[in-house]
Every structure is written in structure tokens, then in C-alpha cells.
Amino acid sequence: MTTSPLTVVRGGTVVESSWSGLADLVMRDGKIIAIAEPGGLIPDGATVLDATGKLVMPGGVDPHCHVGFTSGEFTSLDSYAECTTAAVFGGTTTIIDFAIPRPGEDPLDAADKLRTKATEGLCDSALHGCVVEWDDTTADQLATMAAAGIRTVKMFTTYAGESMADEHTILRTMQTTRDLGGMVIIHCESDAIVGDAQNAAASCGHIDAAGMAATRPELAETASVAAVLAIAESQRAPVYFVHQSSAAAVELVADARKRGLVAFTEVVAHHVTLDDSEYQGSEPERFVCCPPLRSRGTVDGLGKHLFTGHITTIGSDHCCYDTVQKRQHRHDVRHMPNGLPGVETRLPVVFSKFVAANGLSPSRFVQLTAANPARTNGLYPRKGSIMPGSDADVAIWDPDLEWTVSDADLHMATDYTPYEGRRLRGKPVTVVVGGHVVVHDGILVDDTPRGRHLPAAPLDFTSMC
Ligand code: URP
Ligand code: ZN
Ligand code: ZN
């Protein structure tokens, strides 16, 4: 009988979301098959990856990643091959993209278009659906998507005329996804408050990128979070808030959880690492995103909640626009492409600031960046975990490596990074995807596209950390 070869990750500290310790990892046929005592006998023919002095973590799961995303007149620049290559270099081995319908398009058609793209990726991917308007076909479309494993449904309370949904649509979508074992995931900013703030900025000549922060005030976010929580509570429907940007917004969700609602907070890497002083720099347009970067005090207040347990996941909100696109309407943020490139830098910037410099435990880091994103998307424990039976997606980190971020060394399909010149500590050096070593000592050694579309299981909220 012939058996397929083993890969052994030897001598490292395995970091799971609930424990860590010295152990060897044994993989075969794309799966983890054992977590073994360190230093055991290795069979002839096995591939051995030396992880001495390193952290061996589950590959990251990025729950918020826009790939080749069209909004208004702009389309972000990456393909699945490009986005997943950058993801893997950054220690992420699963991305979750959004099927956001163009105006007039059906949610199901938007999802069908993207599902087949997964095979172009270097790693696996999943999809969030999206509902903008409710009509008498929407419930059936959501049922069809759920049967195909698309159970999380993105909604927006802003971007009128593009993807904003009204309260009736949000309520009906919550009812329906709840009954399908899914969940609404929602971008909350009151469009009325944003519109008013933009008009005020325009009337005094501050509608350019330098004025971005004032055009989308924190109150726009908290007002919308409160309104959406009320709808979710009325329906006893689970809800997940994407890219929450202030402690006040996070605490509204934490309070609802105390009242018994199943509710989750996602933050994104740039909101816990960058502040609104970037808008006073020489290229403020490079930092235009929604919600905008906040004041230093707000950034620090948000970051503290990584330690309190009130934050469930950390995503990237990756949007790969380049400088030409960002500059085009820099004198009027109402027409600019929103979003920052970040799939490759998400894990290193968070590790450096919170694990290396501020004592967040590596296990909590794994919980926030891999295990909980997998759980909230029906992918756990296949993804986000190192346990026998999980996919063999593993990132071997050098926790002490100091390096300087430079766009020239990154792999995202753009020409800048918002972190240019930053010194970081900690980096994934070798990354295994489905049992294949794809990045080894910082070099791409296998660019075979083996990506699969991952169907989400019905969501199970009982085991959520
Ligand atoms: O600025 C952002 N976040 N752009 C991407 C679309 C969204 O709102 O998530
Ligand atoms: Zn958003
Ligand atoms: Zn987004």
C-alpha cells in the first residue's frame, strides 16, 4: 500500500485560539493529522519544516476583503490570483469576499458571478452575499444562496443610490437569514448625518481628502448601530457589525449582547493602527476610507477593546485602489473611491502593535484573526484552527523579526501601502496552504492556483468566543 507523503512542522510553538505550547504538527493530504510531542521520530520521505524559535499559527481568515470591487466609477485593481498571493505572504490563507450587486442586479446573479473565481486563488475563499432592495424574489434568492453555502449577507445603511438598504429591507433580510442559519453583516453609518456633514464641509470649502474625517462623524456610526440593533432585537436575529471604528460603537453592541442578542463586532486593522493625522499629510487621499480614520483618542479607545473581549474579529476591509484612482477626485471625497489596501498587512500590523508591543496573547491574536472569523462564517474548525481534521493551512511566524514596511516588497496590486516606512516586529516567514508550502522563508515557491469556494455551514453561535 502506498501512502502520500507527510509534512512535519518541527520544533515550533503551536498557537491555537485556546492554548499554545511546543509541539510538532503532522500534515498529510491537505489536512492536519496529528499534533505530536516535540522531537518524535520522523518517517523517511517526510518534508520537514524547521520552526525552532517560531510561532506556528493557523493561517489567518480575513472576513472582510473586497476583490476587484466596483463602486461608482471605480473598480479595485486585483484579481483573485493577486489578492490571494498577497494574502498568503501576509499569513492569511482564507479570504472572504463580497458579492455586492451593481444597481439593478439581483443578489443571486452577483454571487453566481463570483463563486467560480475561487479556483483562480492561491488559497481558499468564501463569499458574503448582499441585499440592497427587497422584492418578492429576495427570500427565494437568499434560500438558494444559503443552500450554496453563502449565509452571511452584507447590508449598508449608507451609500445612497449605490448599495444602501432601507429599514424595511434590513428587517426582512434579518428575518430571512436568521431562519436560514445565516446572519446579516452590516456597515453602519447614518446616510442622513453623513450627507449633512458633507454638505457642511462643501459649503466651507473642506470637502477635499484633507477634510475626510469631519465628513463622516462618529455620531453617524453610533446612531446607525443603535437603529440596526433595535431592528435585530425586534427580530431576535443575529447581527455582525463590520469595521466598527470607535469604542462607543463597540460598547453599544456589547450592551446588546448583555441583553441576550447574538451580536458581533468586527474591527479592521487600519482603524486600530492609523489615526486621522494622516489626512493632514501630503497625500491624504491615500487614507480615504469609510468610516474614516479617527482621532488618536478614538483609535486608542478602540484598541483597548481588543483586550476586553468585546471585539470578535479583525478584518482588513482590503480595497486595492492605486494612487491614480485615489487622486482622481481628491478635491471632493463624495466622488472618491473609498478603501485601503490591507490584505497583506492586516496580520503583521496587528501582531506588531498588540502582541509584540502591548502584550496581547498570541492565542487571542489567533482568536481574533483566524478562529472567530472562521466561526462567524460557518468555516470552523476546517479553517482558523490547528487540530486533527482541519485543513493544513499554517503560518510559521518569526515573532522577533524586525522589518520596515515598503510597498516595493509587498504583493498587492497597487502602488502604495498606508504603512509605508513603519517598523514592525513579527512576520510570517513560511506559509503552508492545503498542505503545500507556498511561501518559504519569504519567497513564493509554489504559485499553483488551488483555491476552492468554501461553503459556509449553518452558523452555530453556541461555541463563539
Ligand atoms: O472605505 C471602505 N470601507 N470601502 C469599501 C466598502 C465598504 O464600505 O466596506
Ligand atoms: Zn463598509
Ligand atoms: Zn468593506
Side-chain angles (χ1 to χ4, degrees), residues 85 88 122 431 433 435-440 443-450:
T85 302
V88 171
L122 261 61
V431 182
V433 183
H436 300 273
V437 180
V438 170
V439 171
H440 193 234
I443 292 167
L444 187 67
V445 292
D446 184 351
D447 64 358
T448 313
R450 300 189 184 90

Side-chain angles (χ1 to χ4, degrees), residues 154 156 187 243 290:
K154 179 81 180 281
F156 298 83
H187 171 147
H243 53 46
C290 303

Side-chain angles (χ1 to χ4, degrees), residues 218-231:
E218 289 181 32
L219 192 56
E221 184 176 353
T222 47
S224 177
V225 169
V228 167
L229 279 169
I231 298 173

Side-chain angles (χ1 to χ4, degrees), residues 64-66 69 98 154 156 159 187 242-243 290 317-319:
H64 192 147
C65 195
H66 300 274
F69 168 53
F98 297 83
K154 179 81 180 281
F156 298 83
Y159 304 146
H187 171 147
V242 299
H243 53 46
C290 303
D317 201 1
H318 170 78
C319 268

